[in-house]
Every structure is written in C-alpha cells, then in structure tokens.
Amino acid sequence: MTDPQPTNIKTLFTTAKGLRKQLGSWGTTSETYQENLQSAIATFEECRRLADQVSLFSPNETEDDISSGDLQYLSIDYFLGELVLKDTKSDRKVLLRRAQEAYDRYLGRLDLYNILSKPDKKLYDQYLENRDAFALLPSKDATARRDTKISRFKQETELKRELEHLSQNPSALQTDDAALRSLYLSELQLHTHHAFHSLDLIAQELKILALAPPSPPPDPETLSRDYRERTGRNTNTKASSDRLDGPISQQLLANGKAGPLLSKDGKPLKPFVLLDSRQRLREGVFRPDHSLPTMTIDEYLAEEKRRGGMVEGGGEQSGVRQEVDEDDLERADVETEKAREWDEFKEDNPKGSGNTLNRG
C-alpha cells in the first residue's frame, strides 16, 4: 500500500460531493444547473487524476489492503458517469460513450478487488461479453422480466435501509473503523446496483441513436439564414411566412417602392422624397390596430388558386352521374361489370347483417 494520499484529495472529494448534492436545488434545464454540473464533473475528474497520480489503488492489492477511509474514493468514476448522463448541452452519443467508460472503470476496479457480489459479478461478466447489447431484463420472457424487476427493487430497498441504519450515528463512525468500512461497502453495493441500471439504459439509447439518420452538415446558406432568423434580420417574407401581406413596418418603410434609388453611377432611378424613417413610422401611429385588407376578395381567391390552396369541384354538379355513351362499348362493359359486382356484394351482405350489437 502506498503512503497516505495528500489531504487535498479528501477536501476535493468532499467539495465534489457537495456540488453534486447542490444540483437538486435547480431545474435540470436552467443555465445555473448546467454550469454547476460542469463544475462538479471537473472536480470529480480532478479527484480521479489525483488518485491516479498518487497510485491510490494498485492492482497488486486486495480489498483488505485498502484503508476504510480510502474505500469511498472507489466511487469517483461512478459519480462521473452519473453526472455526465445529466449533461444536455453536448453531443448525446459522445456523452453516452463517456459515461459508459466511467462506469466501466468503476466496475472493473471493484472486480479487481473482488468487491462485487456473486449476482453483480455475473452481471459484470454478461456486460463484458457485449457492452452495447447489455440488458438487465430478458427481452422475451415476461415472467422473468417481472421477477427480475421485483428482485432488484427488493435489493435496492434493502441496501437503502442498511445505509440509513449505518448512518444514524455519525459520531460513532469516526471512532469505529469497522462500522465506517461497512458503510462504505454498502454504498459501493448501492452504486453498483445503479451503475448496471444506467448501463442498461445507455445500451438502449445507443441502439436508438444508431437507427437515426446522420444529420447533414449545414451549408453556408443555411448558417446565414439561421443567423438572420436569430437576429431578426430576415426580410424574406416569402421564405419565412405564408402571409400575402408583409409586416406594417415593412409596408410603411417600403411604401410599394422597393428597389435601389440610385444607379452605380449615382443617377436617380426613380423619384423619391427624403424623409426620416421615424416620420414614416409616426404617420402609422393612428392606423387601426387590426390589419387592413390589402386586396379584394376576387384577388385573394385568384392568388390562393394560383398557390394551389383551393380544390375545384364539389357542389350539386358532383352528384350528377355522367351518362355512358352507348357507342363506347369498352366503357359500357366496365360500368356493367361494376354494377354486377355491386349486386353480388349486396346479395352476400344483406342490409343489417353487420349490425349484431342489438340482436338477442
């Protein structure tokens, strides 16, 4: 066993756990939550770096070689995986892989020290066979799925009850090394229980993301359009709206005279009057608060018809059946065949035969 690690890792680990606990004070979608989440992740990563730097855990040791106070640092990778999954700002697939690697390190170290129980060891071996297809519950047998859920729920409840019992007397933990060791080992068992559950969810989410089509890289035109939409500078009303009339401010400023006023040589292309834009807006102060019609009904219907927004036909004429030309033998044969099929259908399905709800 190496020499005792510097005290700063203990302080850093306590700080990281405090940041993790404070995350419950904010909503998961708030900026404050994400900022504190990144701070907690960075602090736990620093804890892991210090633990590796001082060789806190060695593959040549056993569980008995680890002091009771150092057992808690085995949970660093577990906390990292848990917090990384809560990140909503980065690429989801990258985050899932990052959390999976953290849980992998956590379980691998517990397996190295033979801390995993027999059921957890069996699950860990199953996980190592195929990490991306790991599942806690069998996919086909419904009875086995139900039994597994009940068994894991009872196991979690028992672990929480044991932890609550061991934590009732904090002062005794400072003097009783056996009680402190039992507390940390129980915490590791509960963390392992949650780690396998998270690995199951990660595998399911990775399968879903693998089925999603790859997003095409944005072209410069799309980036430019998105920027205009964010900054409110998008003046292309045809591309951004189906309205036939533009905004009031645009109507006031343009006033039906769009286009350049001067040529490249500086010559005026149309008559114009120098007016301040504020004066234009001031003239629209006493406009009605509702939009005024900008076209007649006939013009609107013609425009809608041109845009394909109207369906022609219907009315009384739609119920009038066209008379079949007797000279058109092919058309007459088709109509005769349709009539025979309809008669056969009515004979096979008499009126009321489908209504069996009110029969005695």
Side-chain angles (χ1 to χ4, degrees), residues 131-232:
R131 288 175 169 84
D132 292 344
F134 174 72
L136 285 174
L137 306 177
S139 58
K140 296 181 180 180
D141 193 348
T143 304
R145 290 172 61 88
R146 177 178 177 275
D147 294 341
T148 304
K149 285 184 178 181
I150 295 175
S151 175
R152 292 189 61 82
F153 176 76
K154 290 181 178 179
Q155 181 184 2
E156 182 178 359
T157 305
E158 183 64 27
L159 289 172
K160 289 182 178 179
R161 187 183 298 112
E162 182 179 354
L163 283 175
E164 183 179 0
H165 174 71
L166 293 173
S167 305
Q168 287 179 353
N169 193 358
S171 59
L173 296 175
Q174 299 178 0
T175 57
D176 191 347
D177 185 76
L180 180 64
R181 191 176 192 85
S182 178
L183 174 65
Y184 286 151
L185 289 176
S186 298
E187 285 183 347
L188 290 175
Q189 290 183 14
L190 183 60
H191 293 163
T192 302
H193 180 89
H194 292 158
F196 281 122
H197 179 68
S198 298
L199 288 172
D200 185 6
L201 297 179
I202 289 174
Q204 295 181 32
E205 193 167 350
L206 285 174
K207 290 180 182 178
I208 297 175
L209 292 177
L211 299 175
S215 55
D219 56 327
E221 182 180 356
T222 303
L223 294 176
S224 176
R225 183 171 63 252
D226 293 343
Y227 172 76
R228 293 196 302 269
E229 292 176 353
R230 289 195 303 269
T231 56

